[in-house]
Amino acid sequence: MRHYVGGGFDASGVPFPLFDPARGFVVGEAPSASRELVDRAVDAAREALRGPWAAWSPADRARLLHRIADGIELRFEEFVDAECADTGKPRELASTVDIPRAVANFRSYADLLAGRGERSWHTATPDGRGALNYTVRKPLGVVAVISPWNLPLLLLTWKVAPALATGNTVVAKPSELTPGTACLLAEVMAEADVPAGVFNVVHGGGADAAGQWLTEHPGVDAIAFTGESRTGGAIMRAAAARLAPVSFELGGKNAGLVFADADLEQAVAGTLRSSFTHSGQVCLCTERVYVERPVFDAFAEALAAGARALTGYGPMVSAAHRDKVLGYVGKAAADGEVLAGGGTPRFSDDRDGGFWVEPTVLAGLPEDHPVVREEIFGPVVHLAPFDTEEEALAYANAGPYGLAATVWTGDVGRAHRVAPALDVGIAWVNTWNLRDLRTPFGGVKASGIGREGGDHSLDFFSEPMNVCVKL
Protein backbone atom coordinates (compact mmCIF):
# COMPACT_ATOMS: atom_id res chain seq x y z
CA MET A 1 0.00 0.00 0.00
CA ARG A 2 1.49 3.30 -1.12
CA HIS A 3 0.54 6.92 -1.64
CA TYR A 4 0.67 8.24 -5.19
CA VAL A 5 1.80 11.86 -5.44
CA GLY A 6 3.01 13.81 -8.44
CA GLY A 7 3.28 10.71 -10.60
CA GLY A 8 5.37 8.73 -8.11
CA PHE A 9 4.68 6.17 -5.38
CA ASP A 10 5.53 6.93 -1.77
CA ALA A 11 5.34 4.56 1.20
CA SER A 12 6.25 7.12 3.89
CA GLY A 13 4.21 7.62 7.03
CA VAL A 14 3.25 5.84 10.21
CA PRO A 15 1.63 2.52 9.24
CA PHE A 16 -1.87 1.55 10.35
CA PRO A 17 -3.25 -2.03 10.32
CA LEU A 18 -5.62 -3.49 7.75
CA PHE A 19 -8.03 -6.21 8.85
CA ASP A 20 -9.69 -9.09 7.05
CA PRO A 21 -13.34 -8.45 7.98
CA ALA A 22 -14.35 -12.03 7.30
CA ARG A 23 -11.83 -13.50 9.75
CA GLY A 24 -10.93 -10.61 12.01
CA PHE A 25 -7.15 -10.71 11.82
CA VAL A 26 -4.58 -8.22 10.54
CA VAL A 27 -3.56 -8.91 6.95
CA GLY A 28 -1.39 -5.90 6.19
CA GLU A 29 -0.79 -2.23 6.75
CA ALA A 30 -0.96 1.07 4.93
CA PRO A 31 0.98 4.31 5.49
CA SER A 32 -0.73 7.32 7.03
CA ALA A 33 0.00 10.52 5.12
CA SER A 34 1.71 13.34 6.96
CA ARG A 35 0.48 16.90 6.64
CA GLU A 36 3.58 17.59 4.54
CA LEU A 37 2.66 14.80 2.12
CA VAL A 38 -0.89 16.15 1.78
CA ASP A 39 0.64 19.55 1.00
CA ARG A 40 2.85 17.95 -1.65
CA ALA A 41 -0.13 16.18 -3.21
CA VAL A 42 -2.13 19.42 -3.45
CA ASP A 43 0.91 21.26 -4.80
CA ALA A 44 1.43 18.53 -7.42
CA ALA A 45 -2.21 18.76 -8.47
CA ARG A 46 -1.94 22.57 -8.69
CA GLU A 47 1.23 22.35 -10.78
CA ALA A 48 -0.41 19.86 -13.15
CA LEU A 49 -3.15 22.40 -13.88
CA ARG A 50 -0.46 24.67 -15.33
CA GLY A 51 1.22 21.90 -17.32
CA PRO A 52 0.38 20.06 -20.54
CA TRP A 53 -2.89 18.81 -19.00
CA ALA A 54 -4.36 22.31 -19.43
CA ALA A 55 -4.07 22.01 -23.21
CA TRP A 56 -5.76 18.62 -23.50
CA SER A 57 -8.95 18.77 -25.54
CA PRO A 58 -12.19 17.06 -24.48
CA ALA A 59 -11.47 14.39 -27.09
CA ASP A 60 -8.01 13.81 -25.55
CA ARG A 61 -9.53 13.44 -22.09
CA ALA A 62 -12.24 11.09 -23.39
CA ARG A 63 -9.57 8.83 -24.90
CA LEU A 64 -7.72 8.87 -21.57
CA LEU A 65 -10.82 7.77 -19.67
CA HIS A 66 -11.20 4.83 -22.06
CA ARG A 67 -7.53 3.89 -21.49
CA ILE A 68 -8.11 3.92 -17.74
CA ALA A 69 -11.17 1.69 -18.18
CA ASP A 70 -9.09 -0.65 -20.35
CA GLY A 71 -6.46 -0.80 -17.61
CA ILE A 72 -8.99 -1.79 -14.98
CA GLU A 73 -10.37 -4.50 -17.25
CA LEU A 74 -6.87 -5.87 -17.90
CA ARG A 75 -6.34 -6.24 -14.14
CA PHE A 76 -9.94 -7.17 -13.36
CA GLU A 77 -9.18 -10.12 -11.06
CA GLU A 78 -6.64 -8.11 -9.08
CA PHE A 79 -9.26 -5.45 -8.44
CA VAL A 80 -11.79 -8.10 -7.38
CA ASP A 81 -9.25 -9.64 -5.00
CA ALA A 82 -8.43 -6.27 -3.45
CA GLU A 83 -12.08 -5.28 -3.08
CA CYS A 84 -12.99 -8.56 -1.38
CA ALA A 85 -9.95 -8.47 0.89
CA ASP A 86 -10.73 -4.93 2.05
CA THR A 87 -14.50 -5.16 2.48
CA GLY A 88 -15.19 -8.86 3.02
CA LYS A 89 -17.97 -8.70 0.42
CA PRO A 90 -18.79 -11.83 -1.60
CA ARG A 91 -16.71 -12.28 -4.72
CA GLU A 92 -19.83 -12.54 -6.85
CA LEU A 93 -20.88 -9.06 -5.76
CA ALA A 94 -17.48 -7.46 -6.37
CA SER A 95 -17.09 -9.13 -9.77
CA THR A 96 -20.59 -8.33 -11.04
CA VAL A 97 -21.19 -4.89 -9.51
CA ASP A 98 -18.21 -3.02 -8.04
CA ILE A 99 -15.48 -3.55 -10.61
CA PRO A 100 -17.67 -3.55 -13.75
CA ARG A 101 -19.33 -0.36 -12.52
CA ALA A 102 -15.92 1.30 -12.07
CA VAL A 103 -15.15 0.51 -15.69
CA ALA A 104 -18.58 1.83 -16.71
CA ASN A 105 -18.00 5.06 -14.80
CA PHE A 106 -14.97 5.92 -16.92
CA ARG A 107 -16.53 4.81 -20.18
CA SER A 108 -19.86 6.57 -19.62
CA TYR A 109 -18.22 9.91 -18.84
CA ALA A 110 -15.90 9.54 -21.82
CA ASP A 111 -18.92 9.04 -24.05
CA LEU A 112 -20.88 11.89 -22.45
CA LEU A 113 -17.91 14.20 -22.85
CA ALA A 114 -17.53 13.35 -26.52
CA GLY A 115 -21.11 14.40 -27.25
CA ARG A 116 -21.26 17.44 -24.99
CA GLY A 117 -21.68 20.92 -26.44
CA GLU A 118 -22.04 24.47 -25.22
CA ARG A 119 -24.85 26.99 -25.64
CA SER A 120 -24.84 30.20 -27.64
CA TRP A 121 -27.24 33.12 -28.13
CA HIS A 122 -27.52 35.84 -30.79
CA THR A 123 -28.29 39.02 -28.89
CA ALA A 124 -29.95 42.12 -30.33
CA THR A 125 -28.19 45.47 -29.76
CA PRO A 126 -29.40 49.07 -30.23
CA ASP A 127 -27.16 49.62 -33.27
CA GLY A 128 -28.69 46.62 -35.01
CA ARG A 129 -25.36 44.83 -35.48
CA GLY A 130 -25.94 42.40 -32.59
CA ALA A 131 -23.69 40.36 -30.37
CA LEU A 132 -22.85 36.73 -29.89
CA ASN A 133 -22.94 35.22 -26.41
CA TYR A 134 -21.61 31.75 -25.78
CA THR A 135 -20.58 29.65 -22.79
CA VAL A 136 -17.27 28.05 -22.02
CA ARG A 137 -16.97 25.51 -19.23
CA LYS A 138 -13.71 25.57 -17.29
CA PRO A 139 -12.38 23.13 -14.67
CA LEU A 140 -12.77 24.05 -11.01
CA GLY A 141 -9.11 23.27 -10.33
CA VAL A 142 -7.84 20.93 -7.61
CA VAL A 143 -10.61 18.63 -6.41
CA ALA A 144 -10.48 16.62 -3.17
CA VAL A 145 -12.30 13.30 -3.51
CA ILE A 146 -13.14 11.59 -0.21
CA SER A 147 -14.61 8.12 -0.73
CA PRO A 148 -16.15 5.62 1.73
CA TRP A 149 -15.44 2.03 2.68
CA ASN A 150 -18.61 0.29 1.52
CA LEU A 151 -18.15 0.61 -2.28
CA PRO A 152 -14.52 1.75 -2.39
CA LEU A 153 -13.71 1.62 -6.10
CA LEU A 154 -17.20 2.24 -7.44
CA LEU A 155 -17.71 5.47 -5.49
CA LEU A 156 -14.13 6.66 -5.95
CA THR A 157 -14.35 6.34 -9.74
CA TRP A 158 -17.89 7.80 -9.73
CA LYS A 159 -16.26 11.11 -8.77
CA VAL A 160 -12.79 10.81 -10.30
CA ALA A 161 -14.08 10.06 -13.80
CA PRO A 162 -16.17 13.26 -14.24
CA ALA A 163 -13.55 15.33 -12.43
CA LEU A 164 -10.87 14.27 -14.93
CA ALA A 165 -13.31 14.46 -17.84
CA THR A 166 -13.79 18.16 -17.18
CA GLY A 167 -10.08 18.91 -16.87
CA ASN A 168 -9.60 19.06 -13.11
CA THR A 169 -6.81 17.48 -11.11
CA VAL A 170 -7.62 15.19 -8.19
CA VAL A 171 -6.28 14.37 -4.75
CA ALA A 172 -8.14 11.28 -3.53
CA LYS A 173 -8.36 10.05 0.05
CA PRO A 174 -9.93 6.58 0.26
CA SER A 175 -11.26 5.20 3.52
CA GLU A 176 -8.50 4.00 5.79
CA LEU A 177 -10.44 0.72 6.09
CA THR A 178 -10.37 -0.04 2.36
CA PRO A 179 -7.33 1.42 0.55
CA GLY A 180 -6.53 -1.51 -1.76
CA THR A 181 -8.39 -0.65 -4.96
CA ALA A 182 -7.35 3.01 -4.77
CA CYS A 183 -3.72 1.84 -4.80
CA LEU A 184 -4.41 -0.35 -7.84
CA LEU A 185 -6.20 2.52 -9.56
CA ALA A 186 -3.09 4.68 -9.07
CA GLU A 187 -1.05 1.99 -10.82
CA VAL A 188 -3.54 1.93 -13.69
CA MET A 189 -3.34 5.73 -13.93
CA ALA A 190 0.44 5.52 -14.24
CA GLU A 191 0.16 2.77 -16.88
CA ALA A 192 -2.39 4.87 -18.82
CA ASP A 193 0.09 7.80 -18.99
CA VAL A 194 -2.01 10.17 -16.92
CA PRO A 195 0.20 13.28 -16.59
CA ALA A 196 2.07 13.59 -13.30
CA GLY A 197 0.00 15.31 -10.61
CA VAL A 198 -3.33 14.96 -12.38
CA PHE A 199 -4.33 12.08 -10.08
CA ASN A 200 -2.96 11.66 -6.56
CA VAL A 201 -3.81 9.33 -3.65
CA VAL A 202 -3.08 9.89 0.03
CA HIS A 203 -3.99 7.43 2.79
CA GLY A 204 -5.00 7.94 6.38
CA GLY A 205 -7.82 8.78 8.73
CA GLY A 206 -10.31 11.62 8.73
CA ALA A 207 -10.21 13.80 11.86
CA ASP A 208 -6.77 15.27 12.62
CA ALA A 209 -5.37 13.31 9.69
CA ALA A 210 -5.23 13.25 5.90
CA GLY A 211 -8.98 13.71 5.42
CA GLN A 212 -9.20 16.86 7.55
CA TRP A 213 -5.95 18.32 6.23
CA LEU A 214 -7.12 17.81 2.67
CA THR A 215 -10.61 19.25 3.05
CA GLU A 216 -9.27 22.27 5.00
CA HIS A 217 -6.42 22.89 2.55
CA PRO A 218 -6.51 26.37 0.99
CA GLY A 219 -5.21 24.91 -2.27
CA VAL A 220 -8.26 22.68 -2.74
CA ASP A 221 -10.87 24.30 -4.97
CA ALA A 222 -13.78 21.85 -4.55
CA ILE A 223 -14.71 18.78 -2.49
CA ALA A 224 -16.66 15.70 -3.52
CA PHE A 225 -17.57 13.40 -0.62
CA THR A 226 -19.62 10.29 0.01
CA GLY A 227 -20.11 9.21 3.61
CA GLU A 228 -22.09 9.79 6.76
CA SER A 229 -24.04 13.00 7.30
CA ARG A 230 -22.11 14.08 10.42
CA THR A 231 -18.80 13.94 8.54
CA GLY A 232 -20.41 15.84 5.68
CA GLY A 233 -21.30 18.61 8.10
CA ALA A 234 -17.70 18.87 9.30
CA ILE A 235 -16.41 19.02 5.72
CA MET A 236 -18.99 21.65 4.82
CA ARG A 237 -17.82 23.85 7.69
CA ALA A 238 -14.24 23.52 6.45
CA ALA A 239 -15.25 24.35 2.87
CA ALA A 240 -17.37 27.30 3.96
CA ALA A 241 -14.32 29.15 5.26
CA ARG A 242 -13.11 29.60 1.66
CA LEU A 243 -16.49 29.21 -0.11
CA ALA A 244 -15.36 26.02 -1.88
CA PRO A 245 -18.16 24.19 -3.72
CA VAL A 246 -19.14 20.78 -2.36
CA SER A 247 -20.93 17.72 -3.72
CA PHE A 248 -22.21 15.41 -0.96
CA GLU A 249 -23.90 12.03 -1.07
CA LEU A 250 -24.63 11.31 2.58
CA GLY A 251 -26.58 8.94 4.80
CA GLY A 252 -29.99 7.39 4.39
CA LYS A 253 -32.73 5.69 6.35
CA ASN A 254 -34.54 4.46 3.28
CA ALA A 255 -38.16 3.40 3.31
CA GLY A 256 -39.99 0.76 1.32
CA LEU A 257 -43.75 0.86 0.77
CA VAL A 258 -45.59 -2.39 0.04
CA PHE A 259 -49.21 -2.04 -1.02
CA ALA A 260 -51.74 -4.86 -0.85
CA ASP A 261 -52.09 -4.88 -4.65
CA ALA A 262 -48.38 -5.63 -5.14
CA ASP A 263 -47.05 -8.96 -6.36
CA LEU A 264 -46.17 -10.24 -2.89
CA GLU A 265 -43.51 -12.69 -4.05
CA GLN A 266 -41.83 -9.97 -6.10
CA ALA A 267 -42.05 -7.51 -3.21
CA VAL A 268 -40.49 -9.97 -0.76
CA ALA A 269 -37.67 -10.89 -3.13
CA GLY A 270 -37.01 -7.23 -3.91
CA THR A 271 -37.00 -6.24 -0.25
CA LEU A 272 -34.60 -9.05 0.65
CA ARG A 273 -32.27 -7.66 -1.99
CA SER A 274 -32.74 -4.01 -1.03
CA SER A 275 -32.27 -4.72 2.68
CA PHE A 276 -29.43 -7.23 2.68
CA THR A 277 -27.21 -6.59 -0.35
CA HIS A 278 -23.64 -6.22 0.94
CA SER A 279 -25.14 -6.98 4.36
CA GLY A 280 -27.01 -3.68 4.33
CA GLN A 281 -23.80 -1.66 3.94
CA VAL A 282 -25.05 0.35 0.98
CA CYS A 283 -26.42 3.87 1.31
CA LEU A 284 -29.41 2.86 -0.84
CA CYS A 285 -30.42 -0.14 1.27
CA THR A 286 -33.90 -0.30 2.79
CA GLU A 287 -33.94 -0.10 6.59
CA ARG A 288 -37.68 0.40 7.23
CA VAL A 289 -40.58 -1.17 5.35
CA TYR A 290 -44.21 -0.13 5.66
CA VAL A 291 -46.72 -2.78 4.56
CA GLU A 292 -50.43 -2.31 3.95
CA ARG A 293 -52.23 -4.04 6.80
CA PRO A 294 -54.17 -6.74 4.84
CA VAL A 295 -50.87 -8.30 3.67
CA PHE A 296 -48.64 -7.35 6.61
CA ASP A 297 -48.59 -10.74 8.33
CA ALA A 298 -48.00 -12.67 5.12
CA PHE A 299 -45.23 -10.29 4.03
CA ALA A 300 -43.54 -10.34 7.45
CA GLU A 301 -43.59 -14.14 7.58
CA ALA A 302 -42.18 -14.46 4.07
CA LEU A 303 -39.49 -11.82 4.58
CA ALA A 304 -38.36 -13.38 7.87
CA ALA A 305 -38.20 -16.82 6.25
CA GLY A 306 -36.21 -15.37 3.37
CA ALA A 307 -33.78 -13.65 5.73
CA ARG A 308 -33.21 -16.87 7.67
CA ALA A 309 -32.50 -18.70 4.40
CA LEU A 310 -29.95 -16.20 3.08
CA THR A 311 -26.44 -17.50 2.48
CA GLY A 312 -23.36 -16.04 0.89
CA TYR A 313 -23.60 -12.67 2.59
CA GLY A 314 -20.55 -10.85 3.91
CA PRO A 315 -19.40 -9.43 7.26
CA MET A 316 -19.45 -5.92 8.63
CA VAL A 317 -16.39 -3.95 7.60
CA SER A 318 -14.93 -3.68 11.12
CA ALA A 319 -15.36 -4.84 14.69
CA ALA A 320 -16.52 -1.36 15.69
CA HIS A 321 -19.19 -1.33 13.00
CA ARG A 322 -20.36 -4.83 13.97
CA ASP A 323 -20.70 -3.73 17.57
CA LYS A 324 -22.66 -0.64 16.51
CA VAL A 325 -25.11 -2.73 14.48
CA LEU A 326 -25.54 -5.31 17.24
CA GLY A 327 -26.14 -2.47 19.68
CA TYR A 328 -29.14 -1.35 17.64
CA VAL A 329 -30.39 -4.93 17.42
CA GLY A 330 -30.14 -5.20 21.21
CA LYS A 331 -32.27 -2.07 21.63
CA ALA A 332 -34.84 -3.50 19.23
CA ALA A 333 -34.96 -6.82 21.04
CA ALA A 334 -35.68 -5.04 24.31
CA ASP A 335 -38.51 -2.92 22.92
CA GLY A 336 -39.99 -4.87 20.00
CA GLU A 337 -39.88 -8.21 18.16
CA VAL A 338 -37.03 -9.99 16.40
CA LEU A 339 -38.63 -11.98 13.57
CA ALA A 340 -35.36 -13.30 12.15
CA GLY A 341 -31.65 -13.07 12.91
CA GLY A 342 -30.53 -10.79 15.69
CA GLY A 343 -27.18 -12.36 16.43
CA THR A 344 -23.90 -13.47 14.91
CA PRO A 345 -23.66 -16.59 12.74
CA ARG A 346 -21.41 -19.48 13.68
CA PHE A 347 -19.28 -21.17 11.00
CA SER A 348 -17.01 -23.47 13.06
CA ASP A 349 -13.97 -22.19 11.19
CA ASP A 350 -11.77 -19.09 11.21
CA ARG A 351 -14.70 -16.94 10.09
CA ASP A 352 -15.92 -17.08 13.68
CA GLY A 353 -13.31 -14.42 14.40
CA GLY A 354 -14.80 -12.10 11.78
CA PHE A 355 -17.21 -9.21 12.02
CA TRP A 356 -20.49 -10.94 11.16
CA VAL A 357 -24.13 -10.05 11.83
CA GLU A 358 -27.07 -12.21 10.78
CA PRO A 359 -29.69 -10.78 8.39
CA THR A 360 -32.21 -9.38 10.87
CA VAL A 361 -35.92 -8.57 10.55
CA LEU A 362 -37.58 -6.52 13.31
CA ALA A 363 -41.13 -5.38 14.06
CA GLY A 364 -43.20 -3.74 16.77
CA LEU A 365 -41.17 -0.59 17.42
CA PRO A 366 -42.69 2.91 17.64
CA GLU A 367 -41.84 5.41 14.93
CA ASP A 368 -39.72 7.52 17.30
CA HIS A 369 -37.51 4.59 18.31
CA PRO A 370 -33.78 5.03 17.50
CA VAL A 371 -33.82 1.82 15.45
CA VAL A 372 -36.53 3.31 13.22
CA ARG A 373 -35.08 6.83 13.06
CA GLU A 374 -31.27 6.44 12.97
CA GLU A 375 -29.14 5.03 10.16
CA ILE A 376 -27.84 1.58 11.11
CA PHE A 377 -26.01 0.67 7.87
CA GLY A 378 -26.19 -3.05 8.46
CA PRO A 379 -28.35 -6.09 7.66
CA VAL A 380 -31.28 -4.84 9.75
CA VAL A 381 -34.79 -3.94 8.57
CA HIS A 382 -37.87 -2.94 10.57
CA LEU A 383 -41.45 -3.70 9.47
CA ALA A 384 -44.58 -1.74 10.35
CA PRO A 385 -48.18 -1.75 9.01
CA PHE A 386 -50.13 1.12 7.47
CA ASP A 387 -53.78 1.59 6.51
CA THR A 388 -53.93 4.37 3.92
CA GLU A 389 -51.78 5.79 1.15
CA GLU A 390 -51.53 9.08 3.04
CA GLU A 391 -50.34 7.31 6.17
CA ALA A 392 -47.71 5.40 4.19
CA LEU A 393 -46.33 8.62 2.73
CA ALA A 394 -46.28 10.29 6.13
CA TYR A 395 -44.26 7.41 7.59
CA ALA A 396 -41.86 7.29 4.64
CA ASN A 397 -41.24 11.05 4.62
CA ALA A 398 -40.67 11.37 8.36
CA GLY A 399 -37.17 11.77 9.72
CA PRO A 400 -34.05 13.68 8.73
CA TYR A 401 -32.98 11.64 5.71
CA GLY A 402 -34.16 11.58 2.10
CA LEU A 403 -31.98 9.48 -0.17
CA ALA A 404 -34.01 6.68 -1.77
CA ALA A 405 -37.23 4.69 -1.48
CA THR A 406 -39.01 1.72 -3.04
CA VAL A 407 -42.69 1.38 -3.92
CA TRP A 408 -44.25 -2.02 -4.54
CA THR A 409 -47.66 -1.86 -6.19
CA GLY A 410 -49.66 -3.31 -9.06
CA ASP A 411 -51.56 -0.07 -9.61
CA VAL A 412 -49.82 2.13 -12.19
CA GLY A 413 -51.84 5.17 -11.11
CA ARG A 414 -50.75 4.72 -7.50
CA ALA A 415 -47.14 4.30 -8.62
CA HIS A 416 -47.22 7.68 -10.37
CA ARG A 417 -48.94 9.32 -7.39
CA VAL A 418 -46.79 7.94 -4.63
CA ALA A 419 -43.29 7.95 -6.12
CA PRO A 420 -43.13 11.73 -6.84
CA ALA A 421 -44.64 12.46 -3.41
CA LEU A 422 -41.71 10.85 -1.60
CA ASP A 423 -39.13 13.23 -0.14
CA VAL A 424 -36.14 11.46 -1.68
CA GLY A 425 -33.67 11.87 -4.50
CA ILE A 426 -34.60 8.61 -6.20
CA ALA A 427 -37.65 6.34 -5.99
CA TRP A 428 -37.83 2.86 -7.49
CA VAL A 429 -41.16 1.27 -8.39
CA ASN A 430 -41.27 -2.55 -8.35
CA THR A 431 -37.47 -2.74 -8.44
CA TRP A 432 -34.41 -1.56 -6.52
CA ASN A 433 -31.06 -0.08 -7.50
CA LEU A 434 -31.77 -0.16 -11.21
CA ARG A 435 -29.43 2.60 -12.38
CA ASP A 436 -28.99 4.62 -15.54
CA LEU A 437 -25.72 6.52 -15.14
CA ARG A 438 -27.10 9.52 -17.04
CA THR A 439 -29.79 10.23 -14.45
CA PRO A 440 -29.45 12.52 -11.37
CA PHE A 441 -28.32 10.73 -8.22
CA GLY A 442 -28.32 12.20 -4.73
CA GLY A 443 -30.48 12.97 -1.72
CA VAL A 444 -32.45 15.68 0.04
CA LYS A 445 -32.43 16.86 3.66
CA ALA A 446 -29.56 15.19 5.55
CA SER A 447 -28.88 12.82 2.65
CA GLY A 448 -26.84 15.17 0.54
CA ILE A 449 -26.23 18.30 -1.47
CA GLY A 450 -26.25 18.36 -5.26
CA ARG A 451 -26.63 15.59 -7.81
CA GLU A 452 -24.18 13.19 -9.41
CA GLY A 453 -24.50 11.34 -12.69
CA GLY A 454 -24.42 12.30 -16.35
CA ASP A 455 -24.43 16.01 -17.11
CA HIS A 456 -25.08 16.74 -13.42
CA SER A 457 -21.56 15.62 -12.48
CA LEU A 458 -19.97 17.30 -15.49
CA ASP A 459 -21.73 20.53 -14.51
CA PHE A 460 -20.57 20.33 -10.89
CA PHE A 461 -16.93 19.75 -11.81
CA SER A 462 -16.83 22.67 -14.25
CA GLU A 463 -17.58 26.38 -14.04
CA PRO A 464 -19.63 28.04 -16.80
CA MET A 465 -18.19 31.24 -18.19
CA ASN A 466 -19.98 33.60 -20.55
CA VAL A 467 -18.16 35.22 -23.49
CA CYS A 468 -19.89 38.17 -25.20
CA VAL A 469 -18.61 39.35 -28.58
CA LYS A 470 -19.97 42.56 -30.05
CA LEU A 471 -20.46 42.15 -33.80
Side-chain angles (χ1 to χ4, degrees):
M1 301 293 173
R2 298 174 292 175
H3 313 288
Y4 183 64
V5 174
F9 292 95
D10 187 321
S12 66
V14 177
F16 56 88
L18 301 174
F19 288 85
D20 175 355
R23 294 166 179 81
F25 49 72
V26 175
V27 292
E29 60 185 26
S32 185
S34 65
R35 190 187 290 267
E36 183 272 336
L37 187 68
V38 172
D39 289 343
R40 282 207 292 121
V42 174
D43 289 346
R46 177 69 56 195
E47 185 63 28
L49 287 170
R50 298 188 285 263
W53 177 245
W56 282 40
S57 68
D60 293 332
R61 296 196 298 269
R63 285 190 289 269
L64 176 64
L65 295 186
H66 279 301
R67 288 204 304 272
I68 296 167
D70 291 342
I72 297 172
E73 288 182 323
L74 284 171
R75 303 179 65 176
F76 188 89
E77 293 302 324
E78 289 180 73
F79 275 97
V80 172
D81 289 343
E83 197 80 342
C84 293
D86 275 354
T87 64
K89 68 179 58 175
R91 190 175 188 85
E92 180 183 5
L93 185 61
S95 61
T96 59
V97 176
D98 296 76
I99 312 308
R101 172 63 188 280
V103 173
N105 287 341
F106 284 107
R107 296 212 190 283
S108 65
Y109 282 111
D111 294 341
L112 281 168
L113 187 63
R116 188 171 166 88
E118 298 293 355
R119 301 186 69 186
S120 63
W121 299 265
H122 289 282
T123 306
T125 59
D127 64 6
R129 302 184 69 172
L132 175 65
N133 281 273
Y134 63 92
T135 59
V136 175
R137 297 202 74 95
K138 302 167 71 172
L140 297 176
V142 177
V143 176
V145 172
I146 315 292
S147 52
W149 50 259
N150 60 326
L151 304 168
L153 185 67
L154 189 160
L155 292 174
L156 175 64
T157 57
W158 183 229
K159 302 176 192 306
V160 169
L164 297 185
T166 46
N168 299 279
T169 59
V170 170
V171 181
K173 206 290 288 183
S175 168
E176 64 273 25
L177 299 176
T178 54
T181 46
C183 293
L184 286 178
L185 182 61
E187 294 179 9
V188 166
M189 293 284 184
E191 293 161 359
D193 295 325
V194 175
V198 169
F199 178 76
N200 307 271
V201 176
V202 293
H203 299 291
D208 298 316
Q212 180 177 337
W213 300 331
L214 183 59
T215 55
E216 292 179 349
H217 201 290
V220 168
D221 299 301
I223 303 168
F225 168 73
T226 295
E228 66 175 359
S229 302
R230 182 175 56 184
T231 304
I235 293 173
M236 192 170 186
R237 286 189 291 273
R242 60 187 189 281
L243 301 179
V246 297
S247 175
F248 287 165
E249 194 266 287
L250 305 176
K253 187 70 177 179
N254 306 309
L257 303 182
V258 180
F259 289 91
D261 56 25
D263 180 319
L264 195 64
E265 184 177 346
Q266 181 189 51
V268 169
T271 303
L272 285 169
R273 182 168 167 258
S274 72
S275 299
F276 301 122
T277 292
H278 192 17
S279 296
Q281 298 171 111
V282 179
C283 58
L284 300 168
C285 277
T286 307
E287 290 196 9
R288 51 199 179 105
V289 179
Y290 300 100
V291 186
E292 197 165 6
R293 198 175 298 276
V295 296
F296 179 83
D297 290 341
F299 181 90
E301 182 179 353
L303 190 75
R308 287 190 290 267
L310 284 175
T311 59
Y313 57 90
M316 302 294 94
V317 74
S318 67
H321 190 53
R322 175 202 58 199
D323 294 345
K324 171 193 168 183
V325 173
L326 289 176
Y328 277 108
V329 173
K331 293 177 184 177
D335 300 327
E337 302 174 74
V338 178
L339 305 182
T344 55
R346 287 291 172 260
F347 302 98
S348 299
D349 56 32
D350 57 3
R351 288 175 294 173
D352 288 338
F355 314 137
W356 299 84
V357 175
E358 293 173 324
T360 300
V361 180
L362 308 171
L365 296 173
E367 284 297 297
D368 60 353
H369 195 280
V371 170
V372 180
R373 278 288 170 264
E374 298 172 11
E375 183 181 36
I376 299 174
F377 216 66
V380 179
V381 62
H382 179 261
L383 308 182
F386 69 86
D387 294 301
T388 67
E389 194 173 292
E390 293 74 20
E391 185 183 24
L393 282 168
Y395 285 148
N397 288 337
Y401 296 104
L403 183 56
T406 56
V407 179
W408 301 92
T409 179
D411 183 335
V412 67
R414 169 176 280 143
H416 286 290
R417 277 195 314 274
V418 170
L422 291 161
D423 294 337
V424 294
I426 183 168
W428 285 286
V429 178
N430 295 332
T431 188
W432 175 75
N433 204 18
L434 177 59
R435 294 280 293 116
D436 183 319
L437 301 188
R438 298 168 296 183
T439 59
F441 179 83
V444 300
K445 299 189 287 188
S447 289
I449 296 174
R451 292 294 180 269
E452 298 176 316
D455 286 336
H456 307 279
S457 285
L458 296 178
D459 285 345
F460 170 76
F461 286 110
S462 60
E463 194 75 59
M465 174 187 177
N466 181 69
V467 176
C468 177
V469 180
K470 178 70 171 63
L471 302 177

